Amino acid sequence: MNATKKLSAGAWLSIVTCVLSLAALVAYLINTSAVGYFQNATVSNLVLMVVGAAAVVLSMVKGAKKVVDLLTGLCQIAAPALLALAFINLVSARVEGFAFIYFSNADVLLEVQTAANMSSATCAIVNLVLLAVSSIAGIVSAFFTLKK
């Protein structure tokens, strides 16, 4: 209980960023492994960027007293930047699929909008939202100090 009282608002927001980025990673892994339009449609380096952002956020919280202030500041900038880069890469990889699933011609719409494809598209949207929210939370947490 004493450990949680010692955490500042910036540390709490960093923890929220970490949890959201890990949730985005889980959504991404589900999206690429489940049956549907985006099955096996991996995005290069996306997993690395999200895990890197989560690791950076965790290292900020765990080592806030041991790490030099400059390095901590760089970490607070790097985590949201990596999450934003992951978001941009995922959008660019999924935009054509979204267009095909949601905006196909009326003759092929019944063939394209199957339950599996709609589920895959919904999971991809959830992944994008999680990445965007975690990036914004990381940006906001950068404005707070990690020390109480």
Side-chain angles (χ1 to χ4, degrees):
M1 188 68 177
N2 290 335
T4 58
K5 289 183 180 180
K6 293 180 182 179
L7 293 177
S8 67
W12 280 111
L13 280 170
S14 296
I15 291 170
V16 167
T17 301
C18 180
V19 169
L20 286 172
S21 63
L22 291 176
L25 178 63
V26 168
Y28 171 75
L29 293 174
I30 290 171
N31 187 241
T32 56
S33 64
V35 175
Y37 189 83
F38 297 119
Q39 182 179 13
N40 296 326
T42 58
V43 178
S44 62
N45 300 329
L46 183 77
V47 174
L48 181 64
M49 285 183 266
V50 173
V51 170
V56 167
V57 171
L58 274 179
S59 69
M60 287 187 323
V61 174
K62 290 289 260 183
K65 294 180 181 174
K66 298 176 186 174
V67 179
V68 181
D69 288 337
L70 178 65
L71 184 59
T72 303
L74 288 174
C75 290
Q76 285 182 310
I77 295 169
L82 287 173
L83 289 167
L85 185 60
F87 174 78
I88 291 167
N89 280 347
L90 191 62
V91 166
S92 67
R94 299 294 191 249
V95 70
E96 184 180 351
F98 289 144
F100 184 68
I101 291 171
Y102 291 118
F103 305 111
S104 289
N105 294 335
D107 359 338
V108 295
L109 208 55
L110 291 176
E111 296 173 17
V112 173
Q113 289 187 347
T114 62
N117 286 348
M118 295 302 286
S119 173
S120 185
T122 303
C123 189
I125 291 169
V126 167
N127 191 5
L128 289 169
V129 168
L130 284 171
L131 279 173
V133 170
S134 63
S135 179
I136 291 169
I139 291 169
V140 171
S141 70
F143 288 99
F144 293 96
T145 182
L146 295 175
K147 299 175 185 174
K148 201 164 194 180

